[in-house]
Amino acid sequence: MKRTSLLICLLIIITGFVMGKSQTNGFEYIESSVGIEEYKMSSNSLTVLLMEDHSAPVVTFMVTYHVGSRNEAIGYTGSTHLLEHLMFKGSRSFNKKRNTAIWTVLQNVGARINATTWLDRTNYFELLPSEHLETAIAIEADRMRNAFLREEDREPEMTVVRNEFERGENDPFDALDKNIWATAYQAHPYHHSTIGWRSDIENVSTERLREFYNTYYWPNNATVTIIGDFEKEDALKLVRKYFGKHKKSPHNIPEMYTTEPKQEGPRRFVIKRKGETGIVGIAHKSPSGLNNDTYALQVLSKILGGGKSSRLYRKIVDKGLATSLFMWDFPFKDNGLFATYVFMTPDTDHGEIEQLVLDEYDNIKLNGIKNDEIKRAKAQIRSEMAFSRDGSYSIASALNEAIAIGDWKFYTTYSAKISAVTTEDIKNAANKYLQENQSTAGYFIPEIKNGEDDTGGAPNVHQPLNYRQEAFAESGAVKSSSKRRKTTKPHSSIASQIVTSSPVDGLELKTTNTPIKDVVTITGSILGGDIFSPATNKAVAELTADMLDEGTTRQNKFEISERLEAVGARLSFASDKYRVRFNARCLKEDIPLVIELLGEQLRSPAFNESDLENLKKRLVGNLQRAKENTRAQASGRFSRIIYPESHPNYSREIDDEIADVEKTSVADLQTYHKNSYGLGNMLVVAVGDVDNAILLKALQDAFGDWNQSDLTIPVRTSSANDISSTTQYITMEDKTSVDMFLGVPIGIDRKHEDYYALMVGNYILGGNFAARLMQTVRDQMGLTYGIYSSISGVGNGNDGYWSVWGTFAPNLLQEGKRATLDQINNWVKGITIEELNAKKETIKGSYKVGLATTGGLAGQILMNTEKGYEDIMLDDYPNIINQLTLNKVNAAIQKYINPNSLIIVAAGTINKEGKPSEK
């Protein structure tokens, strides 16, 4: 008996050891690639992807459902997206009645949360402090099968989505792009955009949405991705604890089997509406994402439109024929589109642009490409992949798209597949896919000189649609490596990790090393922004900064671009009210090159006459389009009512800006550069895999003998206007959505003792989705896609302003305005201690999450230094927020916000009374 028992025990141990290689806590191990492991839950076939990294105390949790707008049909287009919205309305365990609403629970711990819908997938995700991972898992598991999906929620959310649709219709590019896909694809469901057709949005029933949910929202049709600061065994236990409650679907998940018939000739269309400048779109059908030709087309896209050295940039943008262009080559599960979009300068001919693009296609089909072109393109892609590892969300997001294509390893094998592409592969792919009979061309033709900005409106058909419009900041520096043991000691202070030095007199350098491998983010600034322009021409400072990227006295812009693109590095310049800014991203080994070019471009711009004329033409084109952007018009008028022309927060009339641009000469720029640019106020911040010795030497070589600048922040000489409450409506034609701004000047700057109290109070009203405005005006009433409040213009000693921005359909504007005013009046009466404590946690957690990438940390260090704070402020900020009292916050709100003094401005297709105007 003893011998038998021993054998049995031994057999159990051996069996357990063998099974342990493939079974973990109810999961079957499937495979791994580049540090990412795949598991499948044995009970319900849920796929789980894991990648541990303990370099930052944050984690991204994401659920990807294998359902998108390709799974819809006529009558219920847009259902995937509308369903995504309803999934935030509550589930069995997380809802408002239980005081556990999804947004409230997650944003109160500082999580960044959203969801997106696209052609092939829908995803829900949270980026949050790692100690709250279980909360995210519990929420996503509960709404996978227990979402409410109630009619009383669908009705207001339908109007929210319709407003999102209307905002997209405001945008000429969105309209053009939507029609490109609708014309190119006639049978396949890529024909319709992700947001769907308006009539389907308005009329799809709750029962139809619930049927859609019950068809596709199951564990065996989903992939969970966890990237960041967690322990594998703990994470799998939590996934099993919550998702293990769900069974597999009782039915087979339906497959979409419609294929697009062969196209038998070129297709064309024209859109005519109010607008300033034209757009040309040229698209050809491309292969499915997992087809090997995808990689050749990705490289070809960079050769055609990837930077200043690209063929089409040289041929079109640099010649002054367009303000910009971009290539579309995103791979999908099924056949996609390889497209070129060109945003034309005024008076450029559509046919000329189309022919230039097609001629370049034919040139490549006939003659192929050069070896140096493919090397540059591959270097760009290789660096982009390295940069994509800078943050847990970046990795999870890339995996999400690979999952949608059909294989998550598309992400991990992408670099190797790109490296294998040859010049012959690209020539063959061009000949195979860039055929006239497979093409679709579309023109947006403005009817009169009165148009719309292509930057406004909702995302176009081939961009994912977000549940909320809010920039999703990246976080969580991650590198692909073997598993590291989790650190148990607290993270050290930010200030203690910053090394401050002065490589040359007048240049302050701050560096911080983070665990990300090879990648470095460099950012910085010098004084020289718009405020320093001569009184006779306010465009000089901006144009001087823009010309930094147009070549130097030693190298032209193409030579500079080729050197950067050859190593996949990025270097850009911009200006704002006070500063000229530069931003770079590169691999560690390329720091000397980037700093060399930074010095050369800052110090020795060429100011070539022909380049200036082309730049002016592009800038005028952008300004012309901005004239009919509803948001730009409303915000501009709002600022001109509040501030005098001499105030830094004053927004000039667009026609005045155009006039200044057009009269600017090379001599103006040369004089401004000579008198304004230099050391003395220069800040440089580098974060990532930084070699301090190499960086210091590079900066000394580049700037050691540069002159000193005399610029200093000017003392403010004017204040906001003393003006009583007023309401103004701006009438614009052909706008399906209205933008509204309302607010008051507050008379204080960022360093005032009341600033933080007012800032936190504002956050409670309109700082995020869980704030009062979004929870009522959008979530309960369904009147808008987005409404937020903010405090602005408080830097550099300026008296700032508080404002609310919202977007409404013309027929809902007045109701939306009344609802907004109701919320403001209630807010001024006082917030609660529960709201204050919740928002403190939101702000502190979000701040922690935002520092976890090289870009996020570098930007925060630079901003802190520009404000004149010591590094320790980066550590003290959460404590400052935590010490605010209820009395202090309420007192600040009541002191600075008077609802009876509001300035209100709205712009759109409305009359002078703010009612919908007749065409």
Side-chain angles (χ1 to χ4, degrees), residues 223-255:
T223 299
V224 162
T225 301
I226 311 177
I227 310 289
D229 183 30
F230 67 91
E231 293 287 350
K232 179 177 70 175
E233 298 300 324
D234 295 339
L236 287 175
K237 287 178 182 177
L238 289 173
V239 172
R240 185 184 181 191
K241 174 182 177 180
Y242 292 100
F243 284 91
K245 300 174 183 178
H246 305 318
K247 298 179 181 179
K248 291 177 62 174
S249 63
H251 55 268
N252 292 327
I253 303 298
E255 291 289 334

Side-chain angles (χ1 to χ4, degrees), residues 625-887:
R625 288 198 300 274
K627 287 173 66 175
E628 282 293 316
N629 180 299
T630 53
R631 185 167 183 171
Q633 287 294 320
S635 64
R637 177 76 64 84
F638 177 79
S639 79
R640 289 190 290 275
I641 294 172
I642 291 180
Y643 292 104
E645 188 173 357
S646 59
H647 196 284
N649 290 335
Y650 179 87
S651 179
R652 303 175 68 217
E653 292 278 5
I654 292 176
D655 283 340
D656 292 338
E657 294 185 59
I658 291 174
D660 277 354
V661 169
E662 290 178 334
K663 73 180 184 182
T664 303
S665 68
V666 166
D668 294 331
L669 305 188
Q670 290 171 333
T671 300
Y672 183 77
H673 181 268
K674 180 180 179 180
N675 295 336
S676 303
Y677 279 43
L679 299 169
N681 52 67
M682 186 172 183
L683 303 173
V684 178
V685 177
V687 177
D689 195 1
V690 183
D691 187 317
N692 274 6
I694 291 176
L695 178 57
L696 255 68
K697 185 178 186 306
L699 288 168
Q700 289 165 351
D701 292 342
F703 296 102
D705 59 348
W706 199 18
N707 60 279
Q708 297 286 319
S709 169
D710 295 329
L711 294 185
T712 57
I713 300 291
V715 177
R716 177 170 52 86
T717 57
S718 61
S719 301
N721 294 322
D722 184 12
I723 187 170
S724 57
S725 178
T726 185
T727 300
Q728 296 186 18
Y729 297 112
I730 304 170
T731 301
M732 304 169 70
E733 295 185 57
D734 284 350
K735 306 301 169 190
T736 54
S737 185
V738 176
D739 279 277
M740 179 186 74
F741 280 82
L742 57 82
V744 292
I746 56 176
I748 63 173
D749 68 359
R750 189 187 304 277
K751 294 189 176 181
H752 192 278
E753 62 180 358
D754 292 333
Y755 171 74
Y756 286 112
L758 184 59
M759 183 203 78
V760 173
N762 168 76
Y763 209 91
I764 290 167
L765 176 69
N768 64 0
F769 195 94
R772 290 189 182 189
L773 285 172
M774 284 291 276
Q775 286 297 300
T776 54
V777 183
R778 168 174 162 160
D779 199 48
Q780 292 178 18
M781 305 175 74
L783 297 175
T784 180
Y785 176 63
I787 182 166
Y788 296 93
S789 63
S790 62
I791 298 172
S792 307
V794 291
N796 299 299
N798 291 318
D799 55 324
Y801 61 95
W802 167 85
S803 65
V804 173
W805 163 81
T807 174
F808 303 94
N811 64 317
L812 294 177
L813 173 61
Q814 294 305 318
E815 186 179 355
K817 185 177 78 170
R818 286 192 295 271
T820 302
L821 293 175
D822 286 344
Q823 290 305 310
I824 292 171
N825 285 316
N826 290 333
W827 171 63
V828 170
K829 291 176 183 177
I831 64 168
T832 67
I833 190 65
E834 291 79 14
E835 287 179 307
L836 176 59
N837 289 337
K839 284 299 179 282
K840 284 181 179 180
E841 294 305 310
T842 298
I843 293 169
K844 291 187 296 181
S846 180
Y847 178 72
K848 177 181 178 181
V849 167
L851 295 174
T853 59
T854 62
L857 182 55
Q860 194 66 49
I861 293 172
L862 178 64
M863 191 187 334
N864 187 71
T865 307
E866 289 176 348
K867 291 175 184 176
Y869 295 129
E870 298 295 326
D871 294 339
I872 194 64
M873 180 64 172
L874 296 166
D875 296 304
D876 289 345
Y877 176 73
N879 298 327
I880 292 172
I881 299 301
N882 210 42
Q883 290 169 8
L884 293 170
T885 65
L886 181 64
N887 287 339

Side-chain angles (χ1 to χ4, degrees), residues 174-186:
D174 188 84
L176 180 72
D177 185 60
K178 183 185 298 184
N179 279 279
I180 285 273
W181 286 79
T183 305
Y185 284 96
Q186 299 184 343

Side-chain angles (χ1 to χ4, degrees), residues 154-379:
R154 186 201 65 82
E155 290 179 351
E157 202 62 30
M158 180 277 291
T159 59
V160 169
V161 173
R162 185 174 62 192
N163 182 236
E164 186 179 359
F165 175 89
E166 291 161 346
R167 292 175 63 248
E169 289 297 293
N170 263 15
D171 182 2
F173 172 64
D174 188 84
L176 180 72
D177 185 60
K178 183 185 298 184
N179 279 279
I180 285 273
W181 286 79
T183 305
Y185 284 96
Q186 299 184 343
H188 191 283
Y190 286 171
H191 167 83
H192 64 266
S193 68
T194 301
I195 202 166
W197 303 118
R198 182 181 183 121
S199 56
D200 289 351
I201 295 169
E202 293 175 330
N203 294 299
V204 67
S205 67
T206 304
E207 291 72 23
R208 187 69 186 82
L209 295 172
R210 187 176 294 111
E211 178 186 344
F212 202 79
Y213 172 75
N214 286 328
T215 299
Y216 293 104
Y217 276 66
W218 294 90
N220 50 307
N221 196 44
T223 299
V224 162
T225 301
I226 311 177
I227 310 289
D229 183 30
F230 67 91
E231 293 287 350
K232 179 177 70 175
E233 298 300 324
D234 295 339
L236 287 175
K237 287 178 182 177
L238 289 173
V239 172
R240 185 184 181 191
K241 174 182 177 180
Y242 292 100
F243 284 91
K245 300 174 183 178
H246 305 318
K247 298 179 181 179
K248 291 177 62 174
S249 63
H251 55 268
N252 292 327
I253 303 298
E255 291 289 334
M256 199 291 295
Y257 49 77
T258 303
T259 58
E260 182 69 16
K262 181 180 179 180
Q263 185 174 332
E264 297 180 316
R267 297 170 182 168
R268 307 183 65 83
F269 68 90
V270 172
I271 297 175
K272 292 184 177 182
R273 67 163 69 160
K274 296 294 184 293
E276 283 291 337
T277 55
I279 310 171
V280 172
I282 304 165
H284 292 75
K285 288 196 173 70
S286 59
S288 61
L290 296 181
N291 187 297
N292 279 333
D293 289 335
T294 291
Y295 305 100
L297 290 174
Q298 297 270 294
V299 178
L300 175 58
S301 175
K302 292 293 185 188
I303 292 168
L304 284 168
K308 278 189 170 63
S309 65
S310 65
R311 293 192 176 196
L312 291 179
Y313 184 95
R314 289 176 182 248
K315 197 170 189 176
I316 297 174
V317 179
D318 188 58
K319 299 294 191 267
L321 299 174
T323 61
S324 62
L325 64 84
F326 78 90
M327 306 298 302
W328 175 257
D329 60 346
F330 201 93
F332 292 116
K333 185 176 182 65
D334 300 323
N335 298 72
L337 289 178
F338 182 92
T340 299
Y341 289 94
V342 181
F343 300 86
M344 298 154 55
T345 51
D347 303 320
T348 300
D349 179 68
H350 289 72
E352 178 186 5
I353 294 296
E354 180 182 7
Q355 195 58 51
L356 286 170
V357 173
L358 295 178
D359 285 349
E360 198 55 53
Y361 286 1
D362 289 340
N363 183 19
I364 290 173
K365 289 158 67 176
L366 180 64
N367 301 311
I369 62 166
K370 300 175 182 177
N371 286 329
D372 62 333
E373 289 181 304
I374 194 172
K375 286 180 182 178
R376 282 199 304 273
K378 288 183 177 181

